Amino acid sequence: MNKEWSEFNKFMQSQIKKRDTYDAGVGTLFTLRNSLWNTITSFRNELNRDDFNAIPFINLDGYHSKTIAYSLWHIFRIEDIVAHTLVAEDDQVFFKEDYQKRINAAIITTGNELVKQEIADFSKELDLDELYNYIEEVKNSTEEIVKGLSFDDTKRKISEETKEKLKSLHTVSEDENAIWLIDYWCNKDVRGLIQMPFSRHWIMHIEACLRIRNKIHPRLL
């Protein structure tokens, strides 16, 4: 794991656990996300459309066995679902702004159910400009939600009613590779969700994207 990102993540986690350092921890979280965001935007400048569909590690296990386009979809579908359905308990950006149609996506889920060539085929169909519009809008809306959370708000558990609402949206596939996400998220409190989908999850997948990029373009190392 990138040492700088890892250290920021650890520091942020320690800060948001304490009332007197919580606000500073939110600032650390946003600094980390902005650093990661700079890498995401660099892909748009460095890579061509086919590069976003490339799947050089298709037969391996791990986050790098995907494509960059898929990884961006996956990071921000998860964030949209968690930030809006579970934390803010409002409408996902994806539905509110009709992004399925705009992105030309065959699915509304996180994509966990897709494997190998399915991931590559899915990636080719996506409108990359609209995907980038979507992920930026999700990033910004998540940060507005987090800004509005008090330290006490982060102790809130996900209610059964909210869990049932999540299930009813069908944004998590019932495939065995995806369905576990519902219990995983809903067993956390809000602070736990900040620590994973809003921070560490970004790091894991963006590092995988860098590995893909470096494989197809070693000159960018």
Side-chain angles (χ1 to χ4, degrees):
M1 186 177 283
N2 177 289
K3 187 174 180 181
E4 180 183 356
W5 293 341
S6 177
E7 289 303 316
F8 262 111
N9 190 48
K10 289 178 185 175
F11 187 43
M12 178 274 295
Q13 290 192 33
S14 68
Q15 287 178 306
I16 65 171
K17 289 178 182 177
K18 301 174 183 177
R19 187 181 298 274
D20 62 347
T21 56
Y22 172 74
D23 289 342
V26 171
T28 303
L29 171 66
F30 292 167
T31 299
L32 170 62
R33 284 166 60 91
N34 286 335
S35 177
L36 291 159
W37 183 254
N38 288 339
T39 299
I40 290 173
T41 56
S42 75
F43 297 145
R44 197 74 176 99
N45 298 324
E46 295 171 348
L47 305 177
N48 63 43
R49 184 63 186 85
D50 289 342
D51 294 336
F52 281 88
N53 308 332
I55 189 164
F57 302 106
I58 189 169
N59 291 317
L60 299 182
D61 293 326
Y63 300 116
H64 60 296
S65 66
K66 323 297 183 184
T67 70
I68 293 174
Y70 167 91
S71 299
L72 296 179
W73 167 276
H74 175 75
I75 292 167
F76 288 94
R77 280 305 290 129
I78 282 182
E79 178 154 309
D80 194 7
I81 293 164
V82 170
H84 288 279
T85 301
L86 299 184
V87 178
E89 298 181 348
D90 61 9
D91 295 329
Q92 293 173 31
V93 172
F94 186 77
F95 295 122
K96 190 165 56 175
E97 303 298 336
D98 198 21
Y99 268 112
Q100 182 178 15
K101 182 177 179 181
R102 289 168 60 179
I103 299 172
N104 192 38
I107 61 174
I108 65 171
T109 62
T110 64
N112 285 67
E113 69 275 19
L114 302 180
V115 295
K116 297 188 176 183
Q117 192 59 41
E118 291 174 341
I119 291 172
D121 293 341
F122 169 73
S123 301
K124 292 172 187 174
E125 297 300 316
L126 301 179
D127 183 311
L128 200 61
D129 290 332
E130 289 291 1
L131 178 60
Y132 265 84
N133 288 337
Y134 172 62
I135 68 177
E136 183 170 14
E137 195 165 346
V138 171
K139 174 185 182 290
N140 292 338
S141 68
T142 296
E143 290 170 7
E144 286 303 311
I145 290 168
V146 172
K147 284 177 188 176
L149 296 173
S150 68
F151 176 76
D152 288 332
D153 290 333
T154 66
K155 299 176 183 179
R156 176 170 60 84
K157 299 281 189 180
I158 305 304
S159 70
E160 280 299 316
E161 182 181 3
T162 301
K163 183 176 182 179
E164 290 304 312
K165 171 67 173 177
L166 171 60
K167 290 178 181 178
S168 74
L169 293 173
H170 303 292
T171 50
V172 177
S173 168
E174 294 183 1
D175 184 276
E176 65 179 1
N177 290 323
I179 195 66
W180 61 271
L181 282 168
I182 293 176
D183 285 337
Y184 176 75
W185 294 331
C186 293
N187 287 335
K188 293 180 179 290
D189 57 15
V190 170
R191 187 182 75 195
L193 296 174
I194 291 172
Q195 290 174 314
M196 184 53 179
F198 300 171
S199 50
R200 187 166 176 266
H201 192 239
W202 279 43
I203 296 172
M204 291 154 44
H205 282 283
I206 293 169
E207 287 192 330
C209 288
L210 287 169
R211 189 167 175 184
I212 296 167
R213 183 204 69 175
N214 295 343
K215 179 68 174 178
I216 59 179
H217 286 297
R219 63 183 175 77
L220 296 175
L221 274 167

